[in-house]
Amino acid sequence: MRTPVIAGNWKMNMTVDQAIELVKGIHYGYKNPGQVDVVVAPPSTSIHPVAQYLKDSHISVAAQNMHWEESGAFTGEISAPFIKDAGADYVIIGHSERRQYFKETDKTVNKKMHSAIKHDLIPIMCVGETLGEREDGRLQDVIQRQVMDGLDGIESFAATDIIIAYEPVWAIGTGKTATSEQAEEVHSFIRSLLHKIHDTKKANGIRILYGGSMNSKNAAELLALPNIDGGLIGGASLVASDFIDIIRS
Ligand code: 13P
């Protein structure tokens, strides 16, 4: 049985004060630990204050990105040890916005995955096709490449130590959600890829989240699907009551 994960990716939103306000709302509104792993990913300026606020709660904190090196001359970057030090336990890696606007590749995603695991952060590795790739019939090729290359050489971990998020690029911030059939098709394909590279127990234990215009109205249907183990939520995670509704779903 996989414990579902509901993670809010706040992207480049929320000042420190706004971040604390939002997390207060989520914390007060959701007090039922155990059934769901709840994660919030504030911008890096708010990781520490949010983590401090949530210290004794059942809500965890994620960074939205990281560098694969531990320290050094990489202006503007933060690394896994810094993220841990700031109080986060998760990190989003390879989000399509990073791939699209900051030229991240499967190779850099893979380096980040290795570093995250080495430093005890749970990576949420994002994969997903563009509309053009889907329409050209390249959906499976793209997903397979992103999953296999992203996970290359990653072996010694427990199933709960990594998370994959399927986020079709055409569904992000567009209000256009994948249908249940589309989402389940890709999630079960990802599961089949995991079976190729890991033993049954591990392949069955890794959580695969859906992301892309998930909201309080469509969450229950998506989350009921056999291979959808939670959600990575953008826009709807910025409103405490909406995020709580999704957690309850
Ligand atoms: P939206 O929920 O705003 O579509 O964003 C999804 C996403 O990119 C989460 O990482």
Side-chain angles (χ1 to χ4, degrees):
M1 179 67 187
R2 296 182 288 267
T3 304
V5 182
I6 298 294
N9 175 9
W10 297 357
K11 307 192 179 184
M12 198 168 72
N13 296 291
M14 300 288 148
T15 61
V16 173
D17 285 350
Q18 290 168 338
I20 296 295
E21 257 329 278
L22 176 54
V23 92
K24 260 187 200 169
I26 297 166
H27 189 221
Y28 285 140
Y30 179 70
K31 295 204 181 291
N32 190 12
Q35 299 160 3
V36 186
D37 290 340
V38 179
V39 183
V40 293
S44 50
T45 45
S46 292
I47 292 174
H48 187 252
V50 166
Q52 285 289 109
Y53 181 82
L54 293 174
K55 209 155 49 179
D56 300 316
S57 78
H58 50 274
I59 300 173
S60 303
V61 181
Q64 298 177 11
N65 179 37
M66 58 171 269
H67 196 278
W68 57 87
E69 294 290 347
E70 292 178 7
S71 61
F74 299 100
T75 303
E77 294 289 320
I78 54 171
S79 68
F82 287 71
I83 291 167
K84 269 308 259 197
D85 181 52
D89 292 311
Y90 292 73
V91 58
I92 298 171
I93 291 180
H95 191 280
S96 66
E97 286 149 17
R98 302 283 329 161
R99 294 176 190 259
Q100 187 181 350
Y101 303 129
F102 303 98
K103 304 286 174 272
E104 288 205 7
T105 63
D106 294 320
K107 214 175 169 66
T108 58
V109 166
N110 181 248
K111 287 185 186 189
K112 293 177 183 200
M113 291 291 291
H114 278 276
S115 178
I117 289 165
K118 178 176 171 201
H119 293 285
D120 232 7
L121 282 171
I122 298 176
I124 303 175
M125 184 181 88
C126 302
V127 300
E129 81 290 0
T130 63
L131 189 57
E133 289 164 340
R134 176 175 275 268
E135 287 174 349
D136 290 350
R138 292 193 289 131
L139 168 65
Q140 291 207 345
D141 287 349
V142 170
I143 300 296
Q144 176 156 348
R145 192 201 68 229
Q146 291 177 341
V147 171
M148 296 310 221
D149 291 359
L151 296 180
D152 189 33
I154 291 176
E155 275 146 22
S156 52
F157 63 91
T160 47
D161 289 349
I162 69 168
I163 295 172
I164 295 175
Y166 168 56
E167 299 205 307
V169 178
W170 48 270
I172 295 176
T174 57
K176 222 195 245 180
T177 321
T179 63
S180 300
E181 293 72 31
Q182 288 171 324
E184 178 57 24
E185 183 198 349
V186 180
H187 280 240
S188 64
F189 177 61
I190 295 172
R191 181 81 57 211
S192 73
L193 294 174
L194 295 175
H195 278 280
K196 282 191 189 164
I197 50 176
H198 295 299
D199 60 59
T200 309
K201 189 162 171 257
K202 199 176 276 183
N204 282 335
I206 294 173
R207 274 91 49 98
I208 308 174
L209 316 184
Y210 171 80
S213 298
M214 188 184 262
N215 57 41
S216 51
K217 295 198 174 56
N218 59 31
E221 187 182 335
L222 287 160
L223 295 169
L225 295 166
N227 280 295
I228 298 191
D229 308 312
L232 182 55
I233 297 112
S237 72
L238 298 174
V239 178
S241 56
D242 289 351
F243 191 59
I244 292 163
D245 282 348
I246 298 172
I247 297 168
R248 292 210 175 106
S249 304

